[in-house]
């Protein structure tokens, strides 16, 4: 049974009161449910006409359920129990949330970091099936992961073709090559569903269904929600959420996502891509900032922040303990907030619907991503060229620092530790800006690096996003280049003692990752965005040095 609801206060409630009546009068809900491609204006009609399949995907998706369940049974009979997903962005983020929320094991490989790829391979392939998931079939990260796994299967004396399952769009290069190679199974998805709206299509269902998720129940939750979202009614939660996200006046364009026992594991990371890539263009948009409950942004009174709190269904919440309330004083939280609750399937469809509504309010096409390709093109150019030796502006221990003079020279003109560098980076953030940390390292191996986010939020007094490279390039990367031009970027890269060849390619995983980092930095600079690079010449030592610097800044006052 699906559950869904929201409660808005402050500027969010005012935005709902201001915009929802017009949305109801314009029949936006029923028109969106009917796939009306004129909702976002004449300039978007061609694109929108090809991107609304997510509104009526249930019949096609339900046809997949017995096919996926049958394949899972076949694999289990062959003692194949480990599911590895090779995919990026919309092909990986939703499956990761679905599997983690339900509690089914799924290994998501969405990196070109040689250590992360190597660790996934080192876990063994004897009992592994690889799901290769890519709409276009040309995503360089996914193709590289497929190549190295195919070789690993063969090296282990296994029939690689029998261990590879493909999810792609019909007619894609990947579909053609997969069928020629005789891969175990090829699933094709509706090409009228964009990647970030594909959670309930084959892209979300195949890997999670093979991992053991009850995907039929997930579809039940979403389909019940569709009936609610399709109604032209002031109480429609999709209209309300879209209005709150995009209709505050003035626009609160930083959405602070915190989870307060919603039970949805990692949901903010999926919503981050959906919203940032859908709205961050034409110099505008709204930026999701995923934080932990109690982090600095959740307590900020800044007038460009809107709190998004993912909470438990009120019927499932435990009553507060009176003795606990006497022993602690809760910090004052912003009144400008939306609290959202609901089951997983319901929330997946809710946020897709609300994002499309937000696009209408913002006057933005929510279905294109014009700036995503720029970083890919720059990375390909760097891979094809002879790499130029980049000299750092300064070196602190095992960390090479490159960036603007204010950062490189430090507040006192002569930095002797990374703490001063981090403080200088924080000072670059403008009054209504944000800082983005991009770490091109193994996100599974070094999760402690995320402490940088809260430390820099404290230092700067501004919102800080954290993205693992190259994963974020398929997520917030669009907003960073095409959205409101107020970001400052801190890039963390590292040398590695391990590198891996990519079969059939003239470059390694390490070279690919380095090109992706350098390519993105060059595009950001071309857009006039400040970029600071911290390169760790020794991973372990450099990470330790960086973490000590972050902990040393915790007592500093924010700007």
């Amino acid at each position: 049974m699906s559950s869904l609801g929201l409660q808005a206060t402050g500027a969010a409630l005012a935005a709902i009161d201001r915009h929802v009546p017009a949305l109801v009068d314009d029949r936006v809900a029923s028109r969106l449910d009917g796939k009306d491609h004129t909702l976002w204006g004449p300039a978007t009609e061609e694109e929108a006409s090809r991107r609304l399949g997510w509104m009526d995907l249930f019949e096609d998706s339900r046809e997949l359920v017995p096919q996926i369940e049958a394949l899972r049974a076949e694999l289990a009979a062959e003692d194949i129990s480990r599911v590895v997903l090779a995919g990026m962005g919309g092909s990986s983020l939703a499956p990761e949330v679905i599997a983690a929320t339900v509690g089914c094991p799924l290994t998501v490989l969405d990196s070109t970091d040689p250590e992360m790829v190597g660790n996934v391979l080192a876990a063994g392939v004897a009992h592994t099936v690889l799901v290769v998931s890519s709409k276009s079939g040309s995503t360089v990260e996914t193709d590289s992961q497929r190549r190295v796994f195919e070789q690993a299967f063969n090296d282990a004396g296994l029939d690689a073709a029998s261990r590879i399952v493909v999810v792609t769009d019909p007619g894609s290069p990947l579909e053609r090559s997969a069928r020629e190679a005789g891969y175990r199974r090829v699933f094709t998805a509706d090409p009228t569903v964009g990647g970030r709206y594909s959670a309930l299509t084959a892209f979300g269902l195949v890997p999670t269904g093979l991992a053991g998720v009850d995907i039929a129940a997930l579809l039940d939750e979403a389909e019940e929600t569709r009936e609610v979202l399709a109604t032209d009614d002031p109480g429609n939660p999709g209209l309300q959420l879209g209005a709150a996200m995009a209709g505050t006046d003035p626009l609160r364009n930083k959405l602070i996502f915190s989870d307060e026992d919603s039970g949805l594991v990692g949901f903010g990371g999926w919503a981050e891509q959906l919203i940032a890539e859908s709205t961050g263009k034409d110099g505008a948009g709204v930026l999701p900032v995923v934080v932990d409950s109690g982090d600095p942004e959740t307590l900020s009174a800044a007038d460009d922040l809107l709190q998004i709190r993912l909470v438990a269904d009120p019927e499932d919440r435990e009553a507060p303990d009176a003795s606990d309330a006497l022993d602690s004083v809760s910090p004052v939280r912003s009144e400008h907030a939306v609290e959202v609750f609901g089951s997983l399937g319901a929330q997946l469809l809710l946020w897709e619907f609300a994002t499309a509504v937000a696009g209408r309010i913002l006057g933005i096409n929510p279905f294109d991503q014009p700036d995503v390709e720029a970083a890919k093109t720059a990375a390909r150019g760097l891979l094809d060229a002879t790499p130029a030796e980049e000299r750092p502006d300064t070196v602190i221990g095992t960390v090479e620092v490159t960036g603007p003079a204010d950062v490189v020279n430090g507040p006192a003109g002569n930095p002797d530790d990374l703490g001063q560098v981090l403080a200088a980076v924080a000072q670059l953030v403008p009054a209504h800006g944000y800082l983005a940390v991009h770490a091109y390292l193994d996100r599974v191996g070094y999760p402690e690096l995320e402490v940088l986010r809260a430390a820099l939020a404290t230092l700067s007094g501004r919102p800080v996003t954290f993205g693992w490279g190259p994963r974020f390039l398929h997520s917030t990367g669009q907003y960073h280049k095409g959205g409101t031009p107020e970001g400052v970027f801190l890039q963390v890269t590292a040398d590695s003692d391990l590198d891996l060849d990519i079969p059939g390619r003239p470059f390694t995983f390490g070279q690919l990752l380095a090109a992706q980092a350098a390519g993105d930095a060059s595009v950001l600079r071309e857009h006039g965005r400040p970029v600071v690079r911290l390169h760790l010449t020794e991973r372990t030592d450099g990470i330790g040095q960086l973490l000590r610097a972050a902990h040393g800044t915790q007592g500093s006052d924010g700007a």
Side-chain angles (χ1 to χ4, degrees):
M1 176 66 71
S2 170
S3 66
L4 188 66
L6 65 82
Q7 180 176 357
T9 55
L13 180 58
I16 291 171
D17 291 341
R18 183 182 308 113
H19 289 279
V20 168
L23 295 172
V24 172
D25 289 344
D26 292 340
R27 298 185 298 105
V28 168
S30 59
R31 289 167 62 193
L32 182 52
D33 184 69
K35 301 197 293 186
D36 183 345
H37 63 279
T38 68
L39 282 167
W40 299 273
T44 68
E45 287 184 16
E46 181 180 358
E47 178 79 25
S49 68
R50 298 180 283 110
R51 289 289 178 260
L52 288 169
W54 52 277
M55 283 306 308
D56 63 353
L57 53 76
F58 296 99
E59 182 177 349
D60 289 345
S61 291
R62 288 192 184 283
E63 289 180 359
L64 291 174
V65 174
Q67 300 174 42
I68 296 169
E69 291 176 344
L71 178 56
R72 173 173 166 76
E74 289 177 16
L75 294 170
E78 298 171 24
D79 198 22
I80 299 173
S81 56
R82 179 183 182 231
V83 182
V84 175
L85 170 61
M88 300 298 295
S91 299
S92 64
L93 291 167
E96 186 170 57
V97 171
I98 294 168
T101 296
V102 175
C104 291
L106 174 67
T107 300
V108 176
L109 180 56
D110 56 356
S111 177
T112 51
D113 181 87
E115 288 194 8
M116 182 169 174
V117 176
N119 288 336
V120 174
L121 286 170
V125 296
H127 305 285
T128 296
V129 61
L130 178 71
V131 179
V132 180
S133 188
S134 170
K135 281 184 65 63
S136 67
S138 60
T139 305
V140 65
E141 298 95 335
T142 306
D143 178 69
S144 300
Q145 295 150 0
R146 176 194 62 79
R147 289 169 180 267
V148 76
F149 257 89
E150 190 163 26
Q151 178 173 290
F153 287 133
N154 289 328
D155 289 348
L158 302 169
D159 176 18
S162 71
R163 296 300 188 96
I164 299 177
V165 174
V166 165
V167 185
T168 189
D169 276 0
S172 73
L174 178 57
E175 185 197 11
R176 292 192 294 270
S177 63
R179 295 196 188 282
E180 290 171 1
Y183 289 162
R184 177 97 182 217
R185 186 65 190 270
V186 178
F187 293 90
T188 57
D190 185 346
T192 68
V193 181
R196 56 188 176 273
Y197 292 85
S198 66
L200 298 169
T201 71
F203 288 98
L205 301 179
V206 171
T208 56
L210 294 181
V213 173
D214 184 348
I215 52 178
L218 186 74
L219 290 171
D220 287 343
E221 293 172 358
E223 192 162 20
E224 289 177 23
T225 300
R226 179 191 175 184
E227 297 176 9
V228 176
L229 298 178
T231 59
D232 295 309
D233 183 273
N236 183 326
L239 297 180
Q240 292 181 345
L241 183 56
M245 289 165 56
T248 50
D249 185 21
L251 179 62
R252 292 175 173 264
N253 68 343
K254 317 308 188 296
L255 306 181
I256 309 302
F257 270 79
S258 60
D259 191 288
E260 302 186 3
D261 299 321
S262 72
L264 308 180
V265 180
F267 191 86
W270 171 79
E272 180 181 48
Q273 185 216 12
L274 172 69
I275 299 166
E277 201 167 72
S278 296
T279 71
K281 60 202 70 169
D282 303 329
V286 289
L287 175 68
V289 180
V290 181
V291 305
D292 290 329
S293 180
D295 276 356
E297 294 93 337
T298 66
L299 308 177
S300 173
D303 62 5
D304 58 338
L305 273 56
L306 184 70
Q307 304 294 327
I308 305 291
R309 300 172 187 141
L310 303 174
V311 300
D313 187 324
E315 295 184 0
D316 298 332
R317 298 179 201 174
E318 295 183 3
D321 188 290
S323 61
D324 290 342
L326 291 173
D327 293 337
S328 63
V329 177
S330 299
V332 177
R333 304 198 299 177
S334 172
E335 65 172 327
H336 308 292
V338 181
E339 292 191 350
V340 187
F341 69 86
S343 58
L344 178 57
Q347 291 237 41
L348 289 170
L349 192 62
L350 167 69
W351 285 94
E352 291 173 357
F353 187 98
T355 299
V357 172
R360 176 181 169 89
I361 295 172
L362 292 167
I364 285 172
N365 178 359
F367 305 114
D368 68 348
Q369 49 281 333
D371 297 289
V372 168
E373 187 62 29
K376 298 179 184 178
T377 301
R380 286 194 293 266
L382 289 168
L383 285 170
D384 292 339
T386 301
E389 183 179 353
E390 182 181 25
R391 293 187 176 182
D393 293 314
T394 192
V395 179
I396 305 173
T398 59
V399 180
E400 298 176 344
V401 183
T402 305
D406 288 350
V407 172
V408 173
N409 296 327
N414 183 25
D416 57 7
D417 62 49
L418 281 181
Q420 291 187 40
V421 170
L422 295 180
V425 170
Q427 293 303 312
L428 291 178
V429 184
H432 281 82
Y434 69 94
L435 175 62
V437 181
H438 297 156
Y440 287 81
L441 291 101
D442 176 2
R443 67 181 178 89
V444 176
Y446 306 106
E448 64 271 21
L449 272 175
E450 294 193 36
V451 73
L452 287 173
R453 203 212 64 72
L456 287 165
T458 299
L459 271 178
S460 65
R462 297 299 303 153
V464 179
T465 71
F466 188 100
W468 293 99
R471 169 185 173 118
F472 81 89
L473 293 174
H474 300 259
S475 177
T476 52
Q478 165 62 41
Y479 185 97
H480 294 325
K481 301 172 191 70
T484 310
E486 54 189 12
V488 173
F489 301 89
L490 177 64
Q491 190 180 85
V492 183
T493 60
D495 289 336
S496 175
D497 293 333
L498 169 73
D499 201 356
L500 293 173
D501 290 331
I502 301 174
R505 294 297 191 196
F507 48 83
T508 66
F509 276 101
Q511 290 168 334
L512 174 56
L513 185 67
Q516 290 176 307
D520 190 52
S522 69
V523 173
L524 287 168
R525 292 188 182 106
E526 289 170 6
H527 282 71
R529 313 297 204 253
V531 180
V532 177
R533 182 190 185 206
L534 304 180
H535 181 71
L536 317 181
T537 56
E538 296 286 343
R539 281 202 180 199
T540 302
D541 290 347
I543 289 171
Q545 191 179 342
L546 193 53
L547 292 178
R548 288 191 295 274
H551 286 302
T553 66
Q554 294 286 348
S556 302
D557 292 330

